Amino acid sequence: MTDQSSAPAQDAARRDGFASRVGFVLSAAGSAIGLGNIWRFPYMAGEGGGAAFVLVYILFVLLLGFPVMMAEFSIGQATRRGAVQSFEVLAPGTRWSWVGRLGVSAGYAILAFYSAVAGWALGYLEKSVSGAFASPISADASGELFSSFIASPVTSIPAAALIIALSAAVVFKGVGRGIERASFVLMPIFFLLLLGLAVHSLMLPGAGDGLRFLFKPDLSKLTVPIVMSALGQAFFSLSIGMGVMVTYGSYLNRRETGLAPLALSSVAADTGVALLAGLIIFPAIFTAGMKPAGGPGLAFVTLPTIFSTLPMGSLIATAFYALLVIAALTSIVSMIELIAADLVDRKGWTRGRAVLLIAGVGFLLGIPCALSFGGSAFFTRFFGVPDGFFGLLNIAFGNLVMVLGGLFICLFVGWKWGMPQALKVLGIAEGKKLGVLLSFSIRWLCPAAIAAVLIFIVITGKFF
Ligand code: PHE
């Protein structure tokens, strides 16, 4: 818990907090590592032509993602307030707090579509346990199974509700006793399952093709939408650009300096897990002679077909979907915490009331997401957007708003609040190499890169 005795007067409000650096990293990494790594990264890489997407993605993570995460931690640690109030404290009477508001709104939207997918994972966990993939099923049959599963609100809505309820219970317990403890238990299980599955996949006959697809780039395949999706995916996967990391940073002990290793560990863990997920999925796909561009259904249509033909397929499928559910829980927890911290800090709500409201709104918004796959014709078609209402939230909030939020956070830290202040909080000397690099990235590189990609999109009009 935070040390009360030496905390300055404004901390008298007894803010909850992380008890240890390891707990903090596991929680930040727990937020970052999620469906984004195991479900979204492989299908986006698959659609984006593989290695070219992966290369651009990794560049964005290192050059933009790491600095933005540091910027967020510095804001949070300096103010020890939620995503909106932090800006009010550092730039009183300005409109900067709208950056926080944008982030909090994105929190609701992402919670909604994300818990729909987490609900699918839960449903598939149940299917695996009950032996649905014990004997070989064809690609067509697997597609049928998935379409009928996600089209049926009777299963997909309660599954999403259960996931939200579980995560809300963790957030209700608070940061130290809830989030940190849950991450301590869940993340090691997660890593074990992940490594086991990756080793298994790498022994399949299609491993070579899978590796080539992921790591041998053909840059001529790059297009503006692919670069944008790599940029959006980098932000989404790291949970940056919307204030989650501001919020987590706000629960760090004030005396904790040297945040660079903490951010670096979270970024490295997140990227490592995305690549491992690729190593699990693509060898299996090439072994089965299927197509890597399977879209959002990749983890639910292609994989079960493959699992069902493997020795111990049911066990592997169970491990895989358990992995997805665990990964989703620690991320959903962070989305709820982002909003809860704001309601508690700014509106003086109790944690219980905040968590109830968020879970309720997330659930209600989640219904149209769960109905976007055939459950309701209206939400499925939703003005012609691919994947309907769900697809709209996924792309608009999961990609665009997070990237925009990242742009504003860089502009704020680099040009309004100021790099000297941020570096001081982070415990980095301005003249040192890391300080110079961070300043350059936050002030110039991130804003320029993000603006360039956005301008290209507007000019070409190609978003999807
Ligand atoms: N980073 C999480 C993932 O990769 C998703 C997430 C986005 C979590 C935004 C919190 C906020 O799955």
Side-chain angles (χ1 to χ4, degrees):
M1 291 304 115
T2 21
D3 179 15
Q4 302 301 326
S5 55
S6 66
Q10 79 237 45
D11 282 351
R14 292 243 261 124
R15 200 172 165 72
D16 187 7
F18 289 104
S20 67
R21 280 168 78 88
V22 180
F24 176 78
V25 172
L26 285 178
S27 307
S31 165
I33 298 169
L35 296 174
N37 305 58
I38 309 173
W39 161 74
R40 208 172 188 257
F41 171 79
Y43 93 71
M44 285 196 148
E47 284 182 336
F53 173 96
V54 174
L55 185 72
V56 180
Y57 168 78
I58 291 178
L59 284 178
F60 282 144
V61 165
L62 292 177
L63 299 176
L64 316 189
F66 171 68
V68 172
M69 189 180 279
M70 292 291 276
E72 290 203 26
F73 283 166
S74 72
I75 297 176
Q77 215 201 8
T79 61
R80 313 208 75 221
R81 290 291 169 269
V84 178
Q85 226 188 6
S86 280
F87 290 95
E88 289 173 349
V89 169
L90 294 176
T94 66
R95 298 220 174 93
W96 283 102
S97 62
W98 283 95
V99 180
R101 282 176 228 271
L102 185 72
V104 171
S105 333
Y108 284 110
I110 294 178
L111 174 62
F113 79 78
Y114 200 92
S115 43
V117 182
W120 302 347
L122 190 63
Y124 266 61
L125 176 59
E126 189 274 321
K127 280 190 198 305
S128 314
V129 173
S130 59
F133 312 123
S135 50
I137 52 171
S138 67
D140 287 346
S142 177
E144 274 291 302
L145 187 73
F146 182 59
S147 325
S148 61
F149 175 71
I150 60 177
S152 153
V154 188
T155 40
S156 56
I157 293 176
L162 189 61
I163 293 276
I164 295 184
L166 278 174
S167 318
V170 171
V171 177
F172 175 69
K173 290 197 141 207
V175 176
R177 286 194 313 135
I179 299 179
E180 188 170 5
R181 271 199 205 163
S183 307
F184 253 115
V185 177
L186 293 177
M187 294 312 286
I189 303 179
F190 172 85
F191 284 122
L192 276 181
L193 287 176
L194 188 78
L195 281 178
L197 284 169
V199 168
H200 178 272
S201 252
L202 285 175
M203 293 186 320
L204 294 173
D209 287 335
L211 286 172
R212 261 187 296 283
F213 180 74
L214 267 180
F215 297 117
K216 205 157 164 267
D218 171 3
L219 292 180
S220 65
K221 291 234 175 79
L222 276 185
T223 61
V224 173
I226 291 180
V227 173
M228 176 60 203
S229 72
L231 180 63
Q233 175 60 17
F235 277 67
F236 183 85
S237 188
L238 293 171
S239 311
I240 53 174
M242 57 191 285
V244 166
M245 293 304 175
V246 170
T247 308
Y248 275 23
S250 80
Y251 294 113
L252 265 170
N253 193 319
R254 261 254 171 77
R255 291 176 308 169
E256 200 69 75
T257 53
L259 300 193
L262 302 183
L264 206 58
S265 323
S266 311
V267 169
D270 186 66
T271 311
V273 170
L275 295 177
L276 275 174
L279 290 182
I280 293 174
I281 291 182
F282 292 110
I285 286 177
F286 285 103
T287 304
M290 297 176 82
K291 286 211 180 65
L298 187 65
F300 296 96
V301 177
T302 319
L303 283 185
T305 316
I306 298 164
F307 291 147
S308 72
T309 60
L310 297 176
M312 296 196 301
S314 278
L315 191 71
I316 297 167
T318 305
F320 181 79
Y321 292 109
L323 191 76
L324 268 182
V325 171
I326 295 174
L329 283 177
T330 48
S331 297
I332 293 177
V333 157
S334 74
M335 297 166 202
I336 300 182
E337 179 58 40
L338 160 78
I339 312 172
D342 178 49
L343 291 173
V344 170
D345 286 349
R346 208 157 47 93
K347 301 227 154 76
W349 286 26
T350 61
R351 202 162 248 281
R353 183 170 172 213
V355 166
L356 264 184
L357 172 97
I358 300 160
V361 174
F363 172 66
L364 288 180
L365 259 183
I367 293 177
C369 293
L371 293 176
S372 295
F373 298 87
S376 134
F378 176 70
F379 290 119
T380 304
R381 271 190 237 112
F382 213 67
F383 307 106
V385 182
D387 296 325
F389 184 79
F390 172 101
L392 183 70
L393 294 192
N394 185 7
I395 295 300
F397 289 90
N399 276 7
L400 194 58
V401 169
M402 299 198 70
V403 167
L404 267 182
L407 171 64
F408 288 127
I409 287 170
C410 287
L411 293 176
F412 177 78
V413 172
W415 299 96
K416 169 74 187 163
W417 184 38
M419 279 316 292
Q421 280 77 349
L423 290 176
K424 202 164 132 216
V425 175
L426 294 169
I428 299 169
E430 248 180 273
K432 280 263 174 67
K433 216 195 261 157
L434 182 60
V436 174
L437 279 177
L438 275 181
S439 300
F440 173 71
S441 180
I442 292 174
R443 287 168 67 106
W444 300 102
L445 189 64
C446 291
I450 296 176
V453 176
L454 293 179
I455 288 169
F456 261 113
I457 288 189
V458 173
I459 292 176
T460 57
K462 282 210 186 104
F463 193 65
F464 298 112

